[in-house]
Amino acid sequence: MATNATLSLQIAAVKQCASASPCLSKLSSVSFGFESKSRSCTELRSSSYVSPAKLSQSFKSVSVKYERMVPKAMSGASDKAPASGLPIDLRGKRAFIAGIADDNGYGWAIAKALAAAGAEILVGTWVPALNIFETSLRRGKFDESRVLPDGSLMEIAKVYPLDAVYDSPEDVPEDVKANKRYAGCSNWTVKEAVESVKQDFGTIDILVHSLANGPEVSKPLLETSRKGYLAAVSASSYSFVSLLRHFLPIINPGGASISLTYIASERIIPGYGGGMSSAKAALESDTKVLAFEAGRKNKVRVNTISAGPLGSRAAKAIGFIDMMINYSLENAPLQKELYAEEVGNAAAFLVSPLASAITGATIYVDNGLNAMGVGVDSPAFEGLDIPKDNKS
């Protein structure tokens, strides 16, 4: 493909049969350090009305077949056949994506979308996962996942160690410094990582925050300790403030930053506890304030994507992610599975010149589930002729 090819959005239509039982779609590299906890699917049903007799019944998944239509940012032109449509052209741009630890997450999908649009990719990986990630990358274990729409492989210019819970070396407790999982690794606090990027590349254009942690996420909020609550907020929301604060001086004017949030910030999601819902609410509030401050200070846009549930390895630790996927399949306006690529494509748009007037926004990429006031799978709606997507 010609090097001067303009980049465009093309629709890659791939027929795929999917059921309400989720395949492991690729979700963000949010790292949850907590124990799994199984939940009854009935907890996820609408609270508008649930009869006691129904509470003991298992959630019944509805098999749904559909055409998988996923628009992908890709190079779609040559010297002889110029691209049509609006281009997402990120050539000459450099992106730092904090929170990638494997090829099974939103962060990875965002990296691929940005790379497909021409951006240079830098990655910040949690220190304890760094060795495994780099080894897997070097040995080609991610090669299949690295394939871009034009057939080439996504290249990662450099992987940096990062623990976004600590702003500077002075903040690191002695027990963490002595932890063998951090042995042999240096310059991994936020300040040090940014200094390393500045030394290696000078500037960046795009900052992506794709990390979170809630050590007590399986506990109800009423049972969450102060330490657990503050840990969730520190790792999942303040880490974004810290990353943007330290990166802002080296983000080129006109650049963009995005984070990942979840509907639990504004709706009750039983089982998503430990202060994680509070952390996501803080993240969305901070997005607005940071959009003003970063916009006025350095003409940098700040947005967040509220993504629907997907079954990544990290999300499996929540304990009921499969049921949330089933719930979304049953109740969302678009009755289909959500793919990580769709979140990646939304991110590519948001950081591109096409979104030059969008900042301070929460963008929902969840098949429209956020728009629902009730779950239509509730017994309260039995007998109503509610349309279902039964494509075969």
Side-chain angles (χ1 to χ4, degrees):
M1 183 166 295
T3 56
N4 64 345
T6 57
L7 299 165
S8 65
L9 282 179
Q10 296 188 352
I11 301 296
V14 182
K15 290 186 178 181
Q16 178 167 325
C17 174
S19 68
S21 177
C23 61
L24 286 181
S25 304
K26 297 180 180 179
L27 171 66
S28 127
S29 256
V30 291
S31 56
F32 290 98
F34 43 75
E35 297 178 355
S36 299
K37 185 174 182 180
S38 61
R39 295 275 178 171
S40 168
C41 294
T42 53
E43 292 181 24
L44 281 305
R45 289 184 176 275
S46 167
S47 61
S48 59
Y49 171 78
V50 180
S51 67
K54 292 288 185 178
L55 285 174
S56 62
Q57 296 181 4
S58 298
F59 185 96
K60 295 181 180 179
S61 300
V62 176
S63 180
V64 179
K65 295 182 179 180
Y66 57 89
E67 298 284 332
R68 180 182 176 188
M69 303 288 290
V70 181
K72 296 182 178 181
M74 59 188 292
S75 179
S78 65
D79 291 331
K80 296 181 180 180
S84 60
L86 291 172
I88 289 186
D89 190 347
L90 298 178
R91 289 173 297 176
K93 305 295 184 182
R94 183 176 297 116
F96 183 92
I97 304 172
I100 296 181
D102 56 33
D103 65 339
N104 186 244
Y106 279 148
W108 182 269
I110 291 172
K112 286 185 65 177
L114 301 188
E120 183 178 25
I121 304 300
L122 311 179
V123 168
T125 299
W126 188 45
V127 181
L130 181 66
N131 184 55
I132 295 176
F133 178 72
E134 289 188 314
T135 300
S136 297
L137 192 64
R138 185 172 59 253
R139 293 180 177 177
K141 292 185 177 180
F142 298 152
D143 282 0
E144 185 176 351
S145 299
R146 289 170 59 204
V147 177
L148 298 176
D150 66 358
S152 65
L153 296 182
M154 175 180 68
E155 297 294 337
I156 297 177
K158 190 164 183 177
V159 179
Y160 291 89
L162 175 68
D163 191 329
V165 169
Y166 305 106
D167 296 327
S168 65
E170 295 74 27
D171 299 324
V172 182
E174 290 301 322
D175 62 327
V176 174
K177 293 178 181 178
N179 192 309
K180 63 180 181 180
R181 295 188 300 173
Y182 290 77
C185 196
S186 60
N187 300 325
W188 45 262
T189 63
V190 173
K191 181 180 179 180
E192 292 171 305
V194 173
E195 289 174 348
S196 295
V197 172
K198 181 180 180 180
Q199 181 178 347
D200 294 338
F201 296 95
T203 62
I204 66 170
D205 302 276
I206 299 163
L207 173 64
V208 179
H209 177 276
S210 177
L211 54 88
N213 183 41
E216 297 181 18
V217 70
S218 61
K219 292 183 179 180
L221 187 57
L222 279 173
E223 298 176 13
T224 300
S225 69
R226 182 184 297 270
K227 181 178 179 181
Y229 183 98
L230 294 178
V233 173
S234 174
S236 308
S237 54
Y238 184 77
S239 57
F240 181 50
V241 177
S242 179
L243 281 166
L244 186 56
R245 175 164 64 92
H246 287 87
F247 265 113
L248 193 59
I250 67 167
I251 297 179
N252 290 317
S257 181
I258 56 174
S259 62
L260 290 164
T261 186
Y262 181 49
I263 193 64
S265 63
E266 53 185 292
R267 301 284 189 273
I268 300 168
I269 306 293
Y272 193 74
M276 280 301 301
S277 58
S278 308
K280 291 302 185 182
L283 182 64
E284 292 178 21
S285 177
D286 292 344
T287 294
K288 296 178 177 65
V289 179
L290 292 172
F292 174 80
E293 295 180 355
R296 291 298 182 93
K297 188 172 184 178
N298 208 35
K299 298 181 180 179
V300 170
R301 296 182 296 107
V302 184
N303 295 292
T304 187
I305 295 175
S306 183
L310 284 87
S312 73
R313 285 188 289 271
K316 287 286 184 180
I318 298 175
F320 62 96
I321 188 66
D322 288 350
M323 288 181 284
M324 288 304 301
I325 294 171
N326 289 339
Y327 181 85
S328 181
L329 278 167
E330 184 72 13
N331 293 289
L334 297 179
Q335 201 174 11
K336 68 176 187 63
E337 192 166 356
L338 177 67
Y339 287 88
E341 296 101 310
E342 294 171 301
V343 173
N345 296 331
F349 163 73
L350 283 173
V351 302
S352 77
L354 294 179
S356 60
I358 301 176
T359 192
T362 298
I363 305 297
Y364 297 94
V365 184
D366 63 355
N367 288 326
L369 187 63
N370 72 91
M372 299 299 296
V374 295
V376 295
D377 65 335
S378 169
F381 292 94
E382 287 182 357
L384 292 183
D385 186 19
I386 296 176
K388 290 183 179 292
D389 186 349
N390 293 315
K391 290 181 181 180
S392 59

